[in-house]
């Protein structure tokens, strides 16, 4: 893993970068030090040595033994660099596999990584429901995952979804802040529950279609609970169109939810990244409403 020192980090040392900027766990920092896994411009230097703009840090990572099972499946790559990968998930594909199913996005990404000579370990940073489409972010190594996981938890990765909701939503902007828990009467369904997990969804109505009785909305999340958008929209009386599990109409073959965009500052290059996922449905769901 190669990282060029940016202007903002000049004068810091390796210890400060690892602890204060990227917030690597203490165990990871200790392992890197013990393994002598870090070089600066090709040399093993003291970790307290101040770094200069343009210096190159090379981190040699331990390879994980817990590798994924690669499966050859179509994969649309939206963004890729040495640290991370963003792909466009189609409907009907689970994000990660289970005991009986290895045709997941994780398996497809593992196959791609193997094809480019990398270890087939697909580290997803977040996930989408099986019938939700759109962008999913993966880390290409263990350290990238540590940093991206923390960024997601700290809401430094902005996720924007587009949805078609049943009915005409009158408020052009709104916030749904109610906790979500399991539905004890159904194995997979979630529900609003006082004892559930804290959850906030923000929405913005982009367009309303009175003839079809639909609202096109943009959603962003402060939290990432299972089925969060689906549960919250159903709670306010505007379930996702096509979402039969939560009371939606049968207008579409799946819930009309698409992870449209990811935005964040790249943790290792400090470049602003914006990733937009094209629509994948055939027949189309969103296109005629744009």
């Amino acid at each position: 893993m190669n990282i060029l020192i940016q202007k903002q980090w000049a004068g810091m040392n390796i210890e400060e970068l690892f602890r204060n900027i990227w917030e690597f766990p203490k165990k990871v920092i200790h392992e890197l030090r013990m393994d002598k896994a870090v070089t600066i411009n090709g040399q093993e230097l003291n970790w307290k040595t101040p770094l200069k703009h343009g210096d190159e840090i090379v981190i040699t990572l331990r390879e994980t033994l817990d590798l994924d099972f690669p499966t050859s499946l179509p994969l649309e790559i939206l963004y890729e660099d040495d640290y991370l990968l963003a792909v466009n998930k189609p409907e009907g594909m689970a994000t990660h596999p289970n005991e009986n199913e290895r045709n997941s996005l994780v398996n497809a990404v593992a196959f791609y990584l193997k094809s480019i000579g990398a270890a087939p370990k697909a580290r997803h940073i977040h996930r989408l429901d099986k019938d939700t489409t759109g962008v999913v972010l993966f880390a290409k190594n263990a350290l990238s995952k540590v940093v991206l996981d923390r960024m997601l938890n700290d809401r430094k990765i902005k996720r924007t979804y587009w949805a078609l909701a049943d009915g005409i939503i009158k408020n052009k902007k709104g916030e749904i802040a109610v906790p979500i828990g399991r539905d004890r009467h159904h194995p997979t369904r979630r529900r609003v529950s006082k004892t559930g997990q804290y959850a906030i969804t923000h929405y913005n109505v982009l367009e309303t279609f009175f003839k079809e009785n639909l609202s096109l909305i943009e959603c962003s999340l402060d939290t990432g609970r299972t089925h969060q958008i689906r549960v919250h929209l159903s709670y306010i009386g505007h379930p996702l169109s096509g979402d039969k599990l939560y009371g939606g109409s049968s207008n579409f073959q799946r819930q009309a939810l698409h992870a449209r965009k990811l935005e964040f500052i790249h943790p290792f290059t400090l470049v602003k990244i914006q990733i937009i996922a094209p629509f994948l449905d055939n027949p189309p769901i969103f296109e005629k409403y744009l």
Side-chain angles (χ1 to χ4, degrees):
M1 181 174 174
N2 297 31
I3 304 171
L4 290 177
I5 298 302
Q6 306 297 315
K7 286 182 180 180
Q8 293 91 322
W9 305 329
M12 296 183 183
N13 58 44
I14 292 175
E15 187 90 26
E16 290 170 328
L17 273 178
F18 287 0
R19 289 186 183 278
N20 303 329
I21 301 300
W22 297 317
E23 298 183 32
F24 293 164
K26 290 181 180 179
K27 180 181 177 181
V28 171
I29 295 175
H30 177 73
E31 287 177 353
L32 293 174
R33 190 189 289 276
M34 292 299 100
D35 291 347
K36 297 183 178 179
V38 183
T39 62
I40 306 171
N41 301 326
Q43 300 179 49
E44 289 184 18
L45 298 180
N46 190 307
W47 277 32
K48 299 296 184 181
T49 301
L51 298 165
K52 300 186 296 294
H53 178 219
D55 281 349
E56 182 180 45
I57 294 177
V58 177
I59 306 173
T60 303
L61 301 173
R62 290 185 184 181
E63 190 50 78
T64 177
L65 299 177
D66 181 25
L67 300 176
D68 294 308
F69 186 89
T71 305
S72 178
L73 295 166
L75 191 66
E76 182 182 1
I77 297 173
L78 301 175
Y79 178 87
E80 181 180 12
D81 60 28
D82 292 340
Y83 317 98
L84 55 92
L85 178 74
V87 298
N88 200 4
K89 190 186 86 64
E91 64 92 15
M93 177 183 279
T95 299
H96 54 86
N98 56 38
E99 293 180 1
N100 303 313
E101 178 61 64
R102 286 180 170 173
N103 291 325
S104 73
L105 193 64
V106 161
N107 298 118
V109 170
F111 183 88
Y112 170 74
L113 292 174
K114 185 178 180 181
S115 75
I116 62 173
K121 180 63 180 176
R123 302 169 173 90
H124 60 89
I125 304 305
H126 58 105
R127 64 186 69 182
L128 297 177
D129 296 339
K130 187 173 184 178
D131 287 329
T132 298
T133 57
V135 58
V136 179
L137 187 64
F138 287 81
K140 293 179 78 173
N141 60 63
L143 290 183
S144 292
K145 179 164 173 57
V146 166
V147 176
L148 291 169
D149 279 343
R150 177 181 52 77
M151 288 175 63
L152 186 72
N153 187 62
D154 292 345
R155 300 202 294 266
K156 292 180 180 179
I157 299 176
K158 182 180 179 182
R159 294 175 287 168
T160 301
Y161 295 78
W162 281 15
L164 283 163
D166 287 330
I168 305 301
I169 300 177
K170 295 179 180 179
N171 295 327
K172 294 301 180 183
K173 290 186 177 182
E175 177 186 284
I176 309 167
V178 287
I180 293 174
R182 290 184 176 273
D183 187 335
R184 65 179 182 273
H185 302 297
H186 194 282
T188 59
R189 192 166 53 205
R190 300 299 196 269
R191 66 184 181 89
V192 169
S193 168
K194 290 182 179 179
T195 59
Q197 292 179 299
Y198 169 79
I200 295 182
T201 301
H202 304 275
Y203 69 85
N204 177 29
V205 178
L206 302 177
E207 192 70 64
T208 51
F209 303 92
F210 288 89
K211 183 179 179 181
E212 295 87 350
N213 196 35
L214 291 172
S215 298
L216 176 65
I217 62 174
E218 185 176 81
C219 299
S220 62
L221 309 180
D222 281 0
T223 51
R225 309 306 178 201
T226 300
H227 297 181
Q228 179 172 321
I229 293 174
R230 300 168 68 184
V231 173
H232 274 175
L233 289 177
S234 179
Y235 174 75
I236 66 169
H238 295 283
L240 289 173
S241 191
D243 192 357
K244 296 177 183 178
L245 184 63
Y246 291 103
S249 65
S250 57
N251 289 336
F252 307 110
Q253 72 271 19
R254 67 170 183 91
Q255 69 262 13
L257 183 62
H258 179 72
R260 180 63 168 166
K261 185 167 56 176
L262 283 180
E263 296 173 280
F264 56 94
I265 302 298
H266 197 295
F268 302 116
T269 67
L270 301 185
V271 173
K272 183 176 181 180
I273 304 295
Q274 183 183 84
I275 304 166
I276 297 176
F279 300 109
L280 296 172
D281 294 283
N282 187 21
I285 289 178
F286 287 91
E287 284 88 333
K288 71 176 182 177
Y289 298 103
L290 300 180

